Structures are given as structure tokens and as C-alpha cells.
Amino acid sequence: MRLFSMSVMGGIMIIIVIMIRAIFAKRLPRRIFPVLWAVVLIRLLIPYNIELKWSIYTYARPFVEEITKDTWKDQQNTIDSGLEQDFSEKDNFGKIKRLETINIYYAGHIVFWAGFISFSMYFIVSYFLCIKRFQRSDPVVELWIQQWRKKHPLKRNFQIRCSDQVKVPLTFGIVSPVILLPKEILKCEKQEITFILQHEYIHIRRWDGLLKLLLAASICVHWFNPFVWIMQRLCEKDLEYACDEKVVENLDKKEKKAYALTL
């Protein structure tokens, strides 16, 4: 499947997920929506079709092919004939039209690769700037936080660190993740810090960092598709909502209120 067809199909799926999200946001568990976004990301990033009888792609495929096939075919035929054409013929108007089509075709490729490289460089540079910032962080020395860490084991090793370079808690890394806390937060009450650690721990356990990496990749590849940008914003919100939902599952009414105040 060509890139434009993948992007059109992905856009259709994004619209469907947005509609499901708008109708069932308060009826379905929040963890469902990141899963739906992951399915869309697979469609956007993997150029391979698994056609099922009741899949969205099966019903949308005729529409996608209708709006992409003819345009692509006409351009390709024009380019092929233009490259093979003997320019000694008298049809100057025809030659000019073929040259214009060829120029537009290759200009489109140049624009796409320029956007792809620009956004890729942006994410790569941002990543390494963050690494440098996080390398200046300090390990958390509070004994009770270290004990909390031991009570929450994972197959992946994760650290809890603090820094004055960040303003909000965040999780960084996929293979060896780090929960990074602002130093100011360490002055808060123990319950508030526990809520924050639990929230970030769920992000790690659910591999949300990997999903965010795939979101960045989809932006690089489909930067020209506005629905992909909308998906990024909504997916990141849904990841946060899903973690909040998991944290409050085992909290009583008073603790839920305290957690809401912490947020």
C-alpha cells in the first residue's frame, strides 16, 4: 500500500476512534482508547494489509482506492510516457504538460522528504537534549521512596530520580525507564508523592513510552495529515486518563479526593 493510501486509511480510522471516544468516553474503561490508538498506529506505520471479513479496512478499501488509484495511475503513466517521449515531435503543448506533471511529481517527493527529515531531526535533537538534562538529575535518597520502589518490582529496571530542571513529574525511557521528579515535589506530603509515583509506575508497566515513540514516528511519516496531529494530542490525553483510572481503582472516597487535588 502506498504512503498516501495508508495516510487516507489512517485518517478514516482516526475519525472513527474520535467518534467512539466522543460517544463512549464515560461508558467504556479509559484503557480501551490507547488500545484503539495503537491499532491506528499499526495501520499508519506498517505497509501491510490483514484483510478480515468484518474489518474497517475491508469496507473502506474501495473508497480509499477510488480516491488514490486514478490519480496515481495517471501521474505514473504521464511520467513514464514523458520519460520515453521523443522530444523532437511537434506537440510542444503535450511535452510541456508532461514536463509539468513530472516536475510536480518529483516536487511532491522533495516536499515529503523535507518534512520527514525536519520532524525526525526535531524529535532526535529534543531526545538528546532531554538525555543531557536528565543526566544531571540526582537519585532520590529518601528511605521510604526506596522502600516503595522495592515493593513495585518490574522485569525492567527503573529508577526514581529528582531534578531542578523539570517542573512536572515525568517518565523517561523505555528499556530502562526513569521516574523523574521535580525537587520541589519532595517537599510535599508523603501521600501526594505516593500518588505521583503510582501514576508514573503505571505508565512504565503499560509501556506507554513505546506508544509515545510510535506517535512521534507517525508524525514524522504523516506530518502532512492533520488527523495524525489530532490523534497525537488525544492519545496522550487518553494515556493520562487511563493511568488516573487505574490509580483510583483501589482508593476510597477520601483518597480519591486527595488524588484529584494532587493532580
Side-chain angles (χ1 to χ4, degrees):
M1 177 178 282
R2 298 183 180 90
L3 177 63
F4 185 65
S5 298
M6 290 170 60
S7 197
V8 171
M9 186 62 208
I12 294 172
M13 295 178 70
I14 290 170
I15 293 172
I16 292 172
V17 174
I18 291 174
M19 293 172 62
I20 294 173
R21 188 178 182 272
I23 297 171
F24 299 103
K26 296 182 179 180
R27 303 177 187 178
L28 294 176
R30 284 289 186 172
R31 64 180 179 272
I32 295 295
F33 299 109
V35 175
L36 295 178
W37 292 125
V39 173
V40 177
L41 285 169
I42 292 172
R43 173 67 282 165
L44 288 168
L45 297 175
I46 299 180
Y48 183 76
N49 300 327
I50 302 177
E51 296 190 34
L52 303 175
K53 183 177 181 181
W54 303 106
S55 69
I56 296 173
Y57 179 76
T58 301
Y59 291 102
R61 181 177 179 179
F63 169 74
V64 175
E65 290 183 347
E66 183 67 25
I67 63 176
T68 59
K69 181 178 179 180
D70 293 339
T71 302
W72 173 266
K73 186 176 181 180
D74 292 342
Q75 286 184 344
Q76 193 64 46
N77 290 339
T78 303
I79 291 168
D80 293 341
S81 62
L83 294 174
E84 296 174 359
Q85 185 69 33
D86 181 3
F87 286 94
S88 63
E89 69 177 59
K90 297 180 180 180
D91 187 6
N92 291 326
F93 178 77
K95 289 191 292 184
I96 292 173
K97 294 296 290 182
R98 281 189 291 273
L99 288 173
E100 287 178 351
T101 302
I102 293 171
N103 290 336
I104 293 172
Y105 175 81
Y106 287 113
H109 278 67
I110 293 171
V111 171
F112 166 76
W113 284 109
F116 175 82
I117 293 171
S118 298
F119 285 106
S120 298
M121 290 303 298
Y122 169 79
F123 285 116
I124 291 171
V125 171
S126 299
Y127 177 80
F128 283 105
L129 288 176
C130 288
I131 286 181
K132 286 187 176 182
R133 183 186 302 174
F134 298 158
Q135 285 175 343
R136 295 192 291 269
S137 64
D138 302 314
V140 174
V141 297
E142 280 74 2
L143 180 60
W144 74 269
I145 294 181
Q146 295 178 13
Q147 292 173 344
W148 181 94
R149 166 66 182 84
K150 291 179 181 179
K151 292 179 181 178
H152 295 77
L154 282 177
K155 292 182 179 180
R156 292 174 290 161
N157 181 44
F158 74 95
Q159 304 177 55
I160 302 175
R161 303 178 68 88
C162 61
S163 172
D164 56 5
Q165 300 294 313
V166 297
K167 301 299 182 182
V168 295
L170 55 88
T171 299
F172 176 79
I174 298 173
V175 179
S176 299
V178 176
I179 296 177
L180 192 61
L181 302 174
K183 285 188 176 180
E184 290 295 321
I185 281 185
L186 297 178
K187 300 177 183 178
C188 296
E189 295 182 4
K190 183 176 178 179
Q191 186 185 50
E192 294 180 8
I193 299 175
T194 301
F195 287 151
I196 293 169
L197 292 174
Q198 186 67 26
H199 180 97
E200 299 301 328
Y201 172 76
I202 293 170
H203 275 308
I204 295 174
R205 198 175 67 183
R206 291 182 172 179
W207 294 83
D208 288 349
L210 178 59
L211 190 58
K212 290 183 178 181
L213 180 62
L214 295 178
L215 283 170
S218 70
I219 289 293
C220 294
V221 176
H222 301 276
W223 57 267
F224 53 89
N225 188 337
F227 291 106
V228 176
W229 292 90
I230 295 172
M231 175 188 67
Q232 183 199 31
R233 295 288 298 275
L234 295 179
C235 182
E236 289 183 351
K237 286 184 178 181
D238 287 335
L239 289 174
E240 298 302 322
Y241 292 149
C243 284
D244 293 336
E245 181 184 66
K246 182 63 178 178
V247 172
V248 302
E249 273 185 0
N250 299 317
L251 301 181
D252 58 33
K253 187 175 181 179
K254 184 177 180 180
E255 289 173 329
K256 288 179 181 180
K257 184 177 179 179
Y259 180 74
L261 292 173
T262 301
L263 295 179

